[in-house]
Amino acid sequence: MGNLTNTLIFILFIGSVILLQVYLSSAKSKYPGLLIPMLFVMLSIISVINIAVFDQSWMEIIGVILLTFALSNIPTVIMMGIYKVVREKRQINNQLD
């Protein structure tokens, strides 16, 4: 029963973040919608900084850094996609008015 509760809490959290991103992206100013993607970029940089490297070649280290940075930026890409869609929709609505 604990796993189900944790899963539901996680889904609610992710849904809340997505709804917050949609709300911030629909603001008049373009900057509030960029807050969550910037937060995710900062978290990905922190995750790259926290990589522990022991007895690896430079190529392996660079590979691990690039892979970590790319994978940890998946939420950034999703949030920027939401931002782009909402801003384009807002722009179209403003042109119709």
Side-chain angles (χ1 to χ4, degrees):
M1 194 61 140
N3 287 339
L4 180 62
T5 305
N6 290 341
T7 303
L8 289 176
I9 290 172
F10 180 73
I11 290 171
L12 285 173
F13 177 74
I14 297 298
S16 299
V17 170
I18 290 172
L19 287 175
L20 180 62
Q21 177 64 18
V22 170
Y23 174 74
L24 292 174
S25 296
S26 63
K28 282 186 179 181
S29 176
K30 65 180 179 179
Y31 298 112
L34 295 173
L35 290 175
I36 295 176
M38 293 286 252
L39 177 68
F40 280 125
V41 168
M42 285 188 259
L43 290 174
S44 69
I45 292 170
I46 289 170
S47 67
V48 167
I49 291 171
N50 285 329
I51 294 175
V53 179
F54 300 106
D55 297 327
Q56 293 179 341
S57 70
W58 283 105
M59 293 303 288
E60 290 173 335
I61 294 169
I62 291 172
V64 168
I65 289 172
L66 291 176
L67 184 63
T68 302
F69 189 73
L71 290 177
S72 61
N73 270 312
I74 291 172
T76 306
V77 172
I78 292 169
M79 293 298 145
M80 285 302 292
I82 292 171
Y83 174 78
K84 187 103 170 133
V85 168
V86 171
R87 293 304 292 183
E88 285 177 0
K89 188 183 236 186
R90 179 176 168 75
Q91 197 172 34
I92 290 170
N93 288 339
N94 286 343
Q95 288 177 354
L96 291 177
D97 291 339

Coordinates of all heavy atoms in Angstrom, one line a residue:
M1 N 0.8 -1.2 0.0 CA 0.0 0.0 0.0 C 0.9 1.3 0.0 O 0.5 2.3 -0.5 CB -0.9 0.0 1.2 CG -2.0 1.0 1.1 SD -3.1 0.7 -0.3 CE -4.6 1.0 0.4
G2 N 2.0 1.2 0.6 CA 2.9 2.3 0.6 C 3.4 2.8 -0.8 O 3.6 3.9 -1.0
N3 N 3.7 1.8 -1.6 CA 4.1 2.1 -3.0 C 3.1 2.8 -3.8 O 3.4 3.7 -4.6 CB 4.6 0.8 -3.7 CG 5.9 0.3 -3.2 OD1 6.7 1.0 -2.6 ND2 6.1 -1.0 -3.5
L4 N 1.8 2.4 -3.6 CA 0.7 3.1 -4.3 C 0.6 4.5 -3.8 O 0.4 5.4 -4.7 CB -0.6 2.3 -4.1 CG -1.8 2.9 -4.8 CD1 -1.6 2.9 -6.3 CD2 -3.0 2.1 -4.4
T5 N 0.7 4.7 -2.6 CA 0.6 6.1 -2.0 C 1.7 7.0 -2.5 O 1.5 8.1 -3.0 CB 0.6 6.1 -0.5 OG1 -0.4 5.2 0.0 CG2 0.4 7.4 0.1
N6 N 2.9 6.4 -2.5 CA 4.1 7.2 -3.1 C 3.9 7.5 -4.5 O 4.2 8.6 -5.0 CB 5.4 6.4 -2.8 CG 5.7 6.4 -1.4 OD1 5.3 7.1 -0.6 ND2 6.6 5.4 -1.0
T7 N 3.4 6.6 -5.3 CA 3.2 6.8 -6.7 C 2.1 7.9 -7.0 O 2.3 8.7 -7.8 CB 2.7 5.5 -7.4 OG1 3.7 4.5 -7.2 CG2 2.6 5.7 -8.9
L8 N 1.0 7.8 -6.2 CA 0.0 8.9 -6.4 C 0.5 10.2 -6.0 O 0.2 11.2 -6.6 CB -1.2 8.5 -5.5 CG -2.0 7.3 -6.0 CD1 -3.2 7.0 -5.0 CD2 -2.6 7.6 -7.4
I9 N 1.3 10.3 -4.9 CA 1.9 11.6 -4.5 C 2.8 12.1 -5.6 O 2.8 13.3 -5.9 CB 2.6 11.5 -3.1 CG1 1.6 11.2 -2.0 CG2 3.4 12.7 -2.8 CD1 2.2 10.9 -0.7
F10 N 3.6 11.2 -6.2 CA 4.5 11.6 -7.2 C 3.8 12.1 -8.4 O 4.1 13.2 -9.0 CB 5.4 10.4 -7.6 CG 6.4 10.7 -8.7 CD1 7.5 11.5 -8.5 CD2 6.2 10.2 -10.0 CE1 8.4 11.8 -9.5 CE2 7.1 10.5 -11.0 CZ 8.2 11.3 -10.7
I11 N 2.7 11.4 -8.8 CA 1.9 11.8 -10.0 C 1.2 13.2 -9.7 O 1.2 14.1 -10.6 CB 0.9 10.8 -10.3 CG1 1.6 9.5 -10.9 CG2 -0.2 11.3 -11.3 CD1 0.7 8.3 -11.1
L12 N 0.7 13.4 -8.5 CA 0.1 14.7 -8.2 C 1.2 15.8 -8.2 O 0.9 16.9 -8.6 CB -0.5 14.6 -6.8 CG -1.9 13.9 -6.7 CD1 -2.3 13.7 -5.3 CD2 -2.9 14.6 -7.5
F13 N 2.4 15.5 -7.7 CA 3.4 16.5 -7.7 C 3.8 16.9 -9.2 O 3.9 18.1 -9.5 CB 4.7 16.0 -7.0 CG 5.8 17.0 -7.0 CD1 5.8 18.1 -6.3 CD2 6.9 16.7 -7.8 CE1 6.9 19.0 -6.3 CE2 8.0 17.5 -7.9 CZ 8.0 18.7 -7.1
I14 N 4.0 15.9 -10.0 CA 4.3 16.2 -11.4 C 3.2 16.9 -12.1 O 3.5 17.9 -12.9 CB 4.6 14.9 -12.2 CG1 5.9 14.2 -11.6 CG2 4.9 15.1 -13.7 CD1 7.1 14.9 -11.7
G15 N 2.0 16.5 -11.9 CA 0.8 17.3 -12.4 C 0.8 18.7 -12.0 O 0.5 19.6 -12.7
S16 N 1.1 18.9 -10.7 CA 1.1 20.3 -10.2 C 2.1 21.1 -10.8 O 1.9 22.3 -11.1 CB 1.3 20.2 -8.6 OG 0.2 19.5 -8.0
V17 N 3.3 20.6 -11.0 CA 4.4 21.3 -11.7 C 4.0 21.7 -13.1 O 4.3 22.8 -13.5 CB 5.7 20.5 -11.6 CG1 6.8 21.1 -12.5 CG2 6.2 20.4 -10.2
I18 N 3.4 20.7 -13.8 CA 3.0 21.0 -15.2 C 1.9 22.1 -15.2 O 1.9 23.0 -16.0 CB 2.5 19.7 -15.9 CG1 3.7 18.8 -16.1 CG2 1.7 20.0 -17.2 CD1 3.3 17.4 -16.6
L19 N 0.9 22.0 -14.3 CA -0.1 23.0 -14.2 C 0.5 24.4 -13.9 O 0.1 25.4 -14.4 CB -1.2 22.7 -13.2 CG -2.1 21.5 -13.7 CD1 -3.1 21.2 -12.5 CD2 -2.9 21.9 -14.9
L20 N 1.4 24.4 -13.0 CA 2.1 25.7 -12.6 C 2.9 26.2 -13.8 O 2.8 27.5 -14.1 CB 3.1 25.5 -11.4 CG 3.8 26.7 -11.0 CD1 2.9 27.8 -10.4 CD2 4.8 26.3 -9.9
Q21 N 3.5 25.4 -14.6 CA 4.2 25.8 -15.8 C 3.2 26.4 -16.8 O 3.5 27.5 -17.4 CB 5.0 24.7 -16.4 CG 5.7 25.0 -17.7 CD 6.8 26.1 -17.5 OE1 7.3 26.4 -16.4 NE2 7.1 26.7 -18.6
V22 N 2.1 25.8 -17.0 CA 1.1 26.3 -17.9 C 0.6 27.7 -17.4 O 0.5 28.7 -18.2 CB -0.1 25.4 -18.1 CG1 -1.2 26.0 -18.8 CG2 0.4 24.1 -18.8
Y23 N 0.3 27.8 -16.1 CA -0.1 29.1 -15.6 C 0.9 30.2 -15.7 O 0.6 31.3 -16.1 CB -0.5 28.9 -14.1 CG -0.8 30.2 -13.4 CD1 -2.1 30.8 -13.6 CD2 0.0 30.8 -12.5 CE1 -2.4 32.0 -13.0 CE2 -0.3 31.9 -11.9 CZ -1.5 32.5 -12.1 OH -1.8 33.7 -11.5
L24 N 2.2 29.9 -15.4 CA 3.2 30.9 -15.5 C 3.5 31.3 -16.9 O 3.8 32.4 -17.2 CB 4.5 30.4 -14.8 CG 4.5 30.2 -13.3 CD1 5.8 29.6 -12.8 CD2 4.2 31.5 -12.6
S25 N 3.4 30.3 -17.8 CA 3.7 30.6 -19.2 C 2.6 31.5 -19.8 O 2.8 32.2 -20.8 CB 3.8 29.3 -20.0 OG 4.9 28.5 -19.6
S26 N 1.4 31.4 -19.3 CA 0.3 32.2 -19.9 C 0.3 33.6 -19.3 O -0.6 34.4 -19.7 CB -1.0 31.5 -19.6 OG -1.3 31.4 -18.2
A27 N 1.2 34.0 -18.5 CA 1.3 35.4 -17.9 C 1.6 36.3 -19.1 O 2.2 36.0 -20.1 CB 2.3 35.5 -16.8
K28 N 1.3 37.6 -18.8 CA 1.6 38.7 -19.9 C 3.1 38.7 -20.2 O 3.5 38.8 -21.3 CB 1.1 40.0 -19.4 CG -0.4 40.2 -19.6 CD -0.7 41.7 -19.2 CE -2.2 41.8 -19.4 NZ -2.6 43.2 -19.1
S29 N 3.9 38.7 -19.1 CA 5.4 38.8 -19.3 C 5.9 37.4 -19.6 O 5.3 36.4 -19.2 CB 6.0 39.3 -18.0 OG 7.4 39.2 -18.1
K30 N 6.9 37.4 -20.4 CA 7.5 36.1 -20.8 C 8.3 35.4 -19.8 O 8.6 34.2 -19.8 CB 8.2 36.2 -22.1 CG 9.5 37.0 -22.1 CD 10.1 37.1 -23.4 CE 11.4 37.9 -23.4 NZ 12.0 38.0 -24.6
Y31 N 8.8 36.2 -18.8 CA 9.8 35.7 -17.8 C 9.2 34.7 -16.8 O 10.0 33.8 -16.4 CB 10.5 36.9 -17.2 CG 11.3 37.7 -18.2 CD1 10.9 39.0 -18.5 CD2 12.3 37.2 -18.8 CE1 11.5 39.8 -19.4 CE2 13.0 37.9 -19.8 CZ 12.6 39.2 -20.1 OH 13.3 40.0 -21.0
P32 N 8.0 34.9 -16.3 CA 7.6 33.9 -15.3 C 7.6 32.5 -15.8 O 7.8 31.5 -15.1 CB 6.2 34.4 -14.9 CG 6.2 35.8 -15.2 CD 7.1 36.0 -16.4
G33 N 7.3 32.3 -17.1 CA 7.2 31.0 -17.7 C 8.6 30.3 -17.8 O 8.7 29.1 -18.1
L34 N 9.6 31.1 -17.7 CA 11.0 30.6 -17.8 C 11.6 30.2 -16.4 O 12.7 29.6 -16.4 CB 11.9 31.6 -18.4 CG 11.5 31.9 -19.9 CD1 12.4 33.1 -20.4 CD2 11.7 30.7 -20.8
L35 N 10.8 30.4 -15.3 CA 11.4 30.1 -14.0 C 11.6 28.6 -13.8 O 12.7 28.2 -13.3 CB 10.5 30.6 -12.9 CG 10.4 32.1 -12.8 CD1 9.4 32.5 -11.8 CD2 11.8 32.7 -12.4
I36 N 10.6 27.8 -14.1 CA 10.7 26.3 -13.9 C 11.8 25.7 -14.8 O 12.6 24.9 -14.3 CB 9.4 25.7 -14.0 CG1 8.4 26.2 -12.9 CG2 9.5 24.1 -13.9 CD1 7.0 25.6 -12.9
P37 N 11.8 26.1 -16.1 CA 12.9 25.5 -16.9 C 14.3 25.9 -16.4 O 15.2 25.1 -16.4 CB 12.7 26.1 -18.3 CG 11.2 26.3 -18.3 CD 10.8 26.7 -16.9
M38 N 14.4 27.2 -15.9 CA 15.7 27.6 -15.4 C 16.1 26.8 -14.1 O 17.2 26.5 -13.9 CB 15.7 29.1 -15.0 CG 15.6 30.0 -16.2 SD 17.1 30.0 -17.1 CE 17.6 31.7 -16.8
L39 N 15.1 26.5 -13.3 CA 15.3 25.7 -12.1 C 15.8 24.3 -12.5 O 16.8 23.8 -11.9 CB 14.0 25.6 -11.3 CG 14.1 24.7 -10.1 CD1 15.0 25.3 -9.0 CD2 12.7 24.5 -9.5
F40 N 15.2 23.7 -13.5 CA 15.7 22.4 -14.0 C 17.1 22.4 -14.6 O 17.8 21.5 -14.4 CB 14.7 21.8 -15.0 CG 13.4 21.2 -14.3 CD1 12.2 21.6 -14.7 CD2 13.6 20.2 -13.4 CE1 11.1 21.0 -14.1 CE2 12.5 19.7 -12.8 CZ 11.2 20.1 -13.1
V41 N 17.4 23.5 -15.2 CA 18.8 23.6 -15.8 C 19.8 23.7 -14.6 O 20.8 23.1 -14.6 CB 18.9 24.9 -16.7 CG1 20.4 25.2 -17.0 CG2 18.2 24.6 -18.0
M42 N 19.4 24.5 -13.6 CA 20.3 24.6 -12.4 C 20.5 23.2 -11.7 O 21.6 22.9 -11.3 CB 19.8 25.6 -11.4 CG 20.0 27.0 -11.9 SD 19.6 28.2 -10.6 CE 18.0 28.7 -11.2
L43 N 19.4 22.5 -11.6 CA 19.5 21.2 -11.0 C 20.3 20.2 -11.9 O 21.1 19.4 -11.3 CB 18.1 20.6 -10.8 CG 17.2 21.2 -9.7 CD1 15.8 20.7 -9.8 CD2 17.9 21.1 -8.4
S44 N 20.3 20.3 -13.2 CA 21.1 19.5 -14.0 C 22.6 19.8 -13.9 O 23.4 19.0 -13.9 CB 20.7 19.6 -15.5 OG 20.9 20.8 -16.0
I45 N 22.9 21.1 -13.8 CA 24.2 21.5 -13.5 C 24.8 21.0 -12.2 O 25.9 20.5 -12.1 CB 24.4 23.1 -13.6 CG1 24.1 23.5 -15.1 CG2 25.7 23.5 -13.2 CD1 24.0 25.0 -15.3
I46 N 23.9 21.1 -11.2 CA 24.3 20.5 -9.9 C 24.5 19.0 -10.0 O 25.5 18.5 -9.4 CB 23.2 20.9 -8.8 CG1 23.2 22.4 -8.5 CG2 23.4 20.1 -7.5 CD1 22.0 22.8 -7.7
S47 N 23.7 18.3 -10.7 CA 23.9 16.9 -10.8 C 25.2 16.6 -11.6 O 25.9 15.6 -11.3 CB 22.7 16.2 -11.5 OG 22.6 16.6 -12.9
V48 N 25.6 17.4 -12.5 CA 26.9 17.2 -13.2 C 28.0 17.5 -12.3 O 29.1 16.8 -12.3 CB 27.0 18.1 -14.5 CG1 28.4 18.1 -15.0 CG2 26.0 17.6 -15.6
I49 N 27.9 18.5 -11.5 CA 29.0 18.8 -10.5 C 29.2 17.7 -9.5 O 30.3 17.5 -9.0 CB 28.7 20.2 -9.8 CG1 28.8 21.3 -10.8 CG2 29.6 20.4 -8.6 CD1 28.3 22.7 -10.3
N50 N 28.1 17.0 -9.2 CA 28.2 16.0 -8.1 C 28.6 14.6 -8.6 O 28.6 13.7 -7.9 CB 26.8 15.8 -7.5 CG 26.4 16.9 -6.5 OD1 27.3 17.5 -5.9 ND2 25.2 17.2 -6.4
I51 N 29.1 14.5 -9.9 CA 29.6 13.3 -10.4 C 30.9 12.9 -9.7 O 31.8 13.8 -9.7 CB 29.8 13.3 -11.9 CG1 28.4 13.5 -12.6 CG2 30.5 12.1 -12.4 CD1 28.5 13.7 -14.1
A52 N 31.0 11.7 -9.2 CA 32.2 11.3 -8.6 C 33.0 10.5 -9.7 O 32.5 9.6 -10.3 CB 32.0 10.4 -7.4
V53 N 34.3 10.8 -9.8 CA 35.1 10.2 -10.9 C 36.3 9.4 -10.2 O 37.1 10.1 -9.5 CB 35.6 11.2 -11.9 CG1 36.5 10.6 -12.9 CG2 34.5 12.0 -12.5
F54 N 36.4 8.1 -10.4 CA 37.5 7.4 -9.8 C 38.1 6.5 -10.9 O 37.4 5.7 -11.6 CB 37.0 6.4 -8.7 CG 36.3 7.2 -7.6 CD1 35.0 7.2 -7.4 CD2 37.1 7.9 -6.7 CE1 34.4 7.9 -6.3 CE2 36.6 8.6 -5.6 CZ 35.2 8.6 -5.5
D55 N 39.3 6.7 -11.2 CA 40.1 5.8 -12.1 C 39.4 5.6 -13.4 O 39.2 4.5 -13.9 CB 40.4 4.4 -11.5 CG 41.2 4.6 -10.2 OD1 42.1 5.5 -10.2 OD2 41.1 3.8 -9.3
Q56 N 39.1 6.7 -14.1 CA 38.5 6.6 -15.4 C 39.3 7.5 -16.4 O 39.9 8.5 -16.0 CB 37.0 7.1 -15.4 CG 36.1 6.2 -14.6 CD 34.7 6.8 -14.6 OE1 34.5 7.9 -14.9 NE2 33.8 5.9 -14.3
S57 N 39.2 7.1 -17.7 CA 39.9 7.9 -18.7 C 39.1 9.2 -18.9 O 38.0 9.3 -18.5 CB 40.1 7.1 -20.0 OG 38.8 7.0 -20.6
W58 N 39.8 10.2 -19.6 CA 39.1 11.4 -19.9 C 37.9 11.2 -20.8 O 36.9 11.9 -20.6 CB 40.1 12.4 -20.5 CG 41.1 13.0 -19.5 CD1 42.4 12.7 -19.3 CD2 40.7 14.0 -18.6 NE1 42.9 13.4 -18.3 CE2 41.9 14.2 -17.8 CE3 39.6 14.7 -18.3 CZ2 41.9 15.2 -16.8 CZ3 39.6 15.6 -17.2 CH2 40.8 15.8 -16.5
M59 N 38.0 10.3 -21.7 CA 36.8 10.0 -22.6 C 35.7 9.5 -21.8 O 34.5 9.9 -22.1 CB 37.2 9.1 -23.7 CG 38.2 9.6 -24.7 SD 37.7 11.2 -25.5 CE 36.4 10.6 -26.5
E60 N 35.9 8.6 -20.8 CA 34.8 8.1 -20.0 C 34.2 9.2 -19.1 O 33.0 9.3 -19.0 CB 35.3 7.0 -19.1 CG 35.7 5.7 -19.9 CD 36.3 4.7 -19.0 OE1 36.9 5.0 -18.0 OE2 36.2 3.5 -19.4
I61 N 35.1 10.1 -18.6 CA 34.6 11.2 -17.8 C 33.7 12.1 -18.6 O 32.6 12.5 -18.2 CB 35.8 11.9 -17.2 CG1 36.5 11.0 -16.2 CG2 35.3 13.2 -16.5 CD1 37.8 11.6 -15.7
I62 N 34.2 12.5 -19.8 CA 33.4 13.4 -20.7 C 32.1 12.7 -21.1 O 31.0 13.4 -21.1 CB 34.2 13.8 -21.9 CG1 35.4 14.7 -21.5 CG2 33.4 14.5 -22.9 CD1 36.4 15.0 -22.5
G63 N 32.1 11.4 -21.4 CA 30.9 10.7 -21.7 C 29.9 10.7 -20.6 O 28.7 10.9 -20.8
V64 N 30.4 10.4 -19.4 CA 29.5 10.4 -18.2 C 28.9 11.8 -18.0 O 27.7 12.0 -17.7 CB 30.2 9.9 -16.9 CG1 29.4 10.2 -15.7 CG2 30.5 8.5 -17.1
I65 N 29.7 12.9 -18.1 CA 29.2 14.2 -17.9 C 28.2 14.6 -18.9 O 27.1 15.1 -18.6 CB 30.4 15.2 -17.9 CG1 31.2 15.1 -16.7 CG2 29.9 16.7 -18.1 CD1 32.5 15.9 -16.7
L66 N 28.4 14.3 -20.2 CA 27.5 14.6 -21.3 C 26.2 13.8 -21.1 O 25.1 14.4 -21.3 CB 28.1 14.3 -22.6 CG 29.2 15.3 -23.1 CD1 29.8 14.9 -24.4 CD2 28.7 16.7 -23.1
L67 N 26.3 12.5 -20.8 CA 25.1 11.7 -20.6 C 24.3 12.2 -19.4 O 23.0 12.3 -19.5 CB 25.5 10.3 -20.4 CG 24.3 9.3 -20.3 CD1 23.5 9.3 -21.6 CD2 24.8 7.9 -19.9
T68 N 24.9 12.5 -18.3 CA 24.2 13.1 -17.1 C 23.5 14.4 -17.4 O 22.4 14.6 -17.1 CB 25.2 13.3 -15.9 OG1 25.8 12.0 -15.7 CG2 24.5 13.8 -14.7
F69 N 24.2 15.3 -18.1 CA 23.7 16.6 -18.5 C 22.5 16.4 -19.4 O 21.4 17.0 -19.2 CB 24.7 17.5 -19.1 CG 24.3 18.9 -19.3 CD1 24.1 19.7 -18.2 CD2 24.0 19.4 -20.5 CE1 23.7 21.0 -18.4 CE2 23.5 20.7 -20.7 CZ 23.4 21.5 -19.6
A70 N 22.6 15.5 -20.4 CA 21.5 15.3 -21.3 C 20.3 14.7 -20.7 O 19.1 15.1 -20.9 CB 22.0 14.4 -22.5
L71 N 20.5 13.7 -19.9 CA 19.4 13.0 -19.2 C 18.7 13.9 -18.2 O 17.5 13.9 -18.0 CB 19.8 11.7 -18.6 CG 20.2 10.6 -19.5 CD1 20.7 9.4 -18.8 CD2 19.0 10.2 -20.4
S72 N 19.5 14.7 -17.4 CA 18.9 15.5 -16.4 C 18.2 16.8 -17.0 O 17.5 17.5 -16.3 CB 19.9 15.9 -15.4 OG 21.0 16.6 -16.0
N73 N 18.4 17.0 -18.3 CA 17.7 18.1 -18.9 C 16.4 17.7 -19.7 O 15.8 18.5 -20.3 CB 18.6 18.8 -19.9 CG 19.4 20.0 -19.2 OD1 18.8 20.8 -18.5 ND2 20.7 20.0 -19.4
I74 N 16.0 16.5 -19.5 CA 14.7 16.1 -20.1 C 13.6 16.9 -19.6 O 12.7 17.4 -20.3 CB 14.5 14.5 -20.0 CG1 15.6 13.8 -20.9 CG2 13.1 14.1 -20.4 CD1 15.6 12.3 -20.6
P75 N 13.5 17.1 -18.3 CA 12.4 17.9 -17.8 C 12.5 19.4 -18.3 O 11.4 20.0 -18.5 CB 12.6 17.9 -16.2 CG 13.4 16.7 -16.0 CD 14.2 16.5 -17.2
T76 N 13.7 19.9 -18.5 CA 13.9 21.2 -19.0 C 13.2 21.3 -20.4 O 12.5 22.2 -20.8 CB 15.3 21.6 -19.1 OG1 15.9 21.4 -17.8 CG2 15.5 23.0 -19.6
V77 N 13.5 20.3 -21.3 CA 13.0 20.3 -22.6 C 11.4 20.2 -22.6 O 10.8 20.9 -23.4 CB 13.6 19.1 -23.4 CG1 12.9 18.9 -24.8 CG2 15.1 19.3 -23.6
I78 N 10.9 19.4 -21.7 CA 9.4 19.3 -21.6 C 8.8 20.6 -21.2 O 7.8 21.0 -21.7 CB 9.1 18.1 -20.6 CG1 9.5 16.8 -21.2 CG2 7.6 18.1 -20.3 CD1 9.4 15.6 -20.2
M79 N 9.4 21.2 -20.2 CA 8.9 22.5 -19.7 C 9.0 23.6 -20.7 O 8.1 24.5 -20.9 CB 9.5 22.9 -18.4 CG 9.2 22.0 -17.2 SD 7.5 22.0 -16.8 CE 7.3 20.4 -16.3
M80 N 10.1 23.6 -21.5 CA 10.3 24.6 -22.5 C 9.3 24.3 -23.7 O 8.8 25.3 -24.3 CB 11.7 24.6 -23.1 CG 12.7 25.2 -22.1 SD 12.3 26.9 -21.7 CE 12.6 27.7 -23.3
G81 N 8.9 23.1 -23.9 CA 7.9 22.7 -24.9 C 6.6 23.3 -24.5 O 5.8 23.9 -25.3
I82 N 6.2 23.1 -23.2 CA 5.0 23.6 -22.7 C 5.0 25.1 -22.8 O 4.0 25.8 -23.2 CB 4.8 23.2 -21.2 CG1 4.5 21.7 -21.1 CG2 3.6 24.0 -20.6 CD1 4.5 21.1 -19.7
Y83 N 6.1 25.8 -22.4 CA 6.2 27.2 -22.5 C 6.0 27.7 -23.9 O 5.2 28.6 -24.2 CB 7.6 27.6 -22.0 CG 7.9 29.1 -22.2 CD1 7.4 30.0 -21.3 CD2 8.7 29.5 -23.2 CE1 7.7 31.4 -21.5 CE2 9.0 30.9 -23.4 CZ 8.5 31.8 -22.5 OH 8.8 33.1 -22.7
K84 N 6.6 27.0 -24.9 CA 6.5 27.5 -26.3 C 5.1 27.3 -26.8 O 4.6 28.2 -27.5 CB 7.4 26.6 -27.1 CG 7.6 27.0 -28.6 CD 8.8 27.7 -28.7 CE 9.1 27.9 -30.2 NZ 9.5 29.2 -30.5
V85 N 4.4 26.2 -26.5 CA 3.0 26.0 -27.0 C 2.1 27.0 -26.4 O 1.3 27.6 -27.1 CB 2.6 24.5 -26.6 CG1 1.1 24.4 -26.8 CG2 3.3 23.5 -27.5
V86 N 2.2 27.3 -25.1 CA 1.3 28.2 -24.4 C 1.6 29.6 -24.9 O 0.6 30.4 -25.1 CB 1.5 28.1 -22.9 CG1 0.7 29.2 -22.1 CG2 1.0 26.8 -22.3
R87 N 2.8 30.0 -25.1 CA 3.1 31.4 -25.6 C 2.6 31.6 -27.0 O 2.1 32.6 -27.3 CB 4.6 31.6 -25.5 CG 5.2 31.7 -24.1 CD 4.5 32.7 -23.2 NE 4.8 34.1 -23.7 CZ 4.4 35.2 -23.0 NH1 3.7 35.1 -21.9 NH2 4.7 36.4 -23.4
E88 N 2.8 30.5 -27.8 CA 2.3 30.7 -29.2 C 0.7 30.8 -29.2 O 0.2 31.6 -30.0 CB 2.7 29.5 -30.1 CG 4.2 29.5 -30.5 CD 4.6 28.3 -31.2 OE1 3.8 27.4 -31.4 OE2 5.8 28.3 -31.6
K89 N 0.1 30.0 -28.4 CA -1.4 30.1 -28.3 C -1.8 31.4 -27.8 O -2.8 32.0 -28.3 CB -1.9 29.0 -27.3 CG -3.4 28.8 -27.3 CD -3.8 27.8 -26.3 CE -4.6 26.7 -26.9 NZ -5.1 25.7 -26.0
R90 N -1.1 32.0 -26.8 CA -1.4 33.3 -26.3 C -1.2 34.4 -27.4 O -2.0 35.3 -27.5 CB -0.5 33.6 -25.1 CG -0.8 34.9 -24.5 CD 0.1 35.1 -23.2 NE 0.1 36.5 -22.7 CZ -0.9 37.1 -22.1 NH1 -2.0 36.4 -21.9 NH2 -0.8 38.3 -21.8
Q91 N -0.1 34.2 -28.2 CA 0.2 35.2 -29.2 C -0.9 35.2 -30.3 O -1.3 36.2 -30.8 CB 1.5 34.9 -29.8 CG 2.1 36.0 -30.6 CD 3.6 35.6 -31.0 OE1 3.9 34.5 -31.3 NE2 4.4 36.6 -31.0
I92 N -1.4 34.0 -30.6 CA -2.5 33.9 -31.6 C -3.7 34.5 -31.1 O -4.4 35.2 -31.8 CB -2.7 32.4 -32.0 CG1 -1.5 31.9 -32.8 CG2 -4.0 32.2 -32.8 CD1 -1.5 30.4 -33.1
N93 N -4.1 34.2 -29.8 CA -5.3 34.8 -29.2 C -5.2 36.4 -29.2 O -6.1 37.1 -29.4 CB -5.5 34.3 -27.8 CG -6.0 32.9 -27.9 OD1 -6.5 32.4 -28.9 ND2 -5.8 32.1 -26.8
N94 N -4.0 36.9 -28.9 CA -3.8 38.3 -28.9 C -3.9 39.0 -30.3 O -4.4 40.1 -30.4 CB -2.4 38.7 -28.3 CG -2.4 38.5 -26.8 OD1 -3.4 38.4 -26.1 ND2 -1.2 38.4 -26.3
Q95 N -3.5 38.2 -31.3 CA -3.6 38.8 -32.7 C -5.1 38.8 -33.1 O -5.5 39.6 -33.9 CB -2.8 37.9 -33.6 CG -1.3 38.1 -33.5 CD -0.5 37.2 -34.4 OE1 -1.1 36.4 -35.1 NE2 0.8 37.4 -34.4
L96 N -5.9 37.8 -32.6 CA -7.3 37.8 -33.0 C -8.1 38.9 -32.3 O -9.1 39.3 -32.8 CB -7.9 36.4 -32.6 CG -7.4 35.2 -33.4 CD1 -8.0 33.9 -32.9 CD2 -7.7 35.4 -34.9
D97 N -7.6 39.3 -31.1 CA -8.3 40.4 -30.4 C -8.1 41.7 -31.0 O -7.9 42.3 -31.8 CB -8.0 40.4 -29.0 CG -8.5 39.2 -28.2 OD1 -9.4 38.6 -28.7 OD2 -7.9 38.9 -27.2

